[in-house]
Amino acid sequence: MPQDALFGAPDPISADTESVAVRRTRRQADLLAAGIHPLTLVLTRPLRLHSEAAPADDRKANGRRCGDCHWRQVDAWDFPKCTLAPTRISRGAATDCRAWWPGCVDHRPAPGGRA
């Protein structure tokens, strides 16, 4: 019997092998379910959803979304970012701003936007 099995430690080969992206997506979904914007993961304080935000569980419902916000811009590397504050931007995927996300309290309708 392997020594790890004696002490209840998981086999290192069968350990959880979810990617970073999958774990981040799950954390973002949990935040949305709690009424908190996913960019909270990179901020120092919770970022609440706008009172007129679209529901997180219906991507086709009306309401404010990041996709029609003035602050959402595509960066030089073709990734969508919230440009309101430097703390919301990095070169990593953690600060990519999905168009379908419900808008945060800082949402400002883009010119010609729906919200």
Side-chain angles (χ1 to χ4, degrees), residues 30-114:
D30 290 345
L31 287 171
L32 283 171
I36 300 171
H37 197 275
L39 284 179
T40 294
L41 292 174
V42 297
L43 301 174
T44 57
R45 63 178 175 77
L47 182 61
R48 294 185 334 259
L49 297 180
H50 195 282
S51 61
E52 297 173 3
D57 59 352
D58 184 353
R59 294 185 185 189
K60 295 182 184 209
N62 290 329
R64 293 182 183 233
R65 294 193 182 274
C66 292
D68 55 24
C69 181
H70 166 80
W71 301 113
R72 185 178 182 267
Q73 302 291 322
V74 176
D75 69 9
W77 298 274
D78 293 327
F79 295 103
K81 304 291 182 179
C82 178
T83 61
L84 176 66
T87 56
R88 296 184 187 185
I89 302 172
S90 75
R91 289 191 182 177
T95 58
D96 287 354
C97 187
R98 307 287 178 233
W100 65 267
W101 282 349
C104 74
V105 292
D106 298 319
H107 184 276
R108 184 171 129 199
R114 302 176 312 191

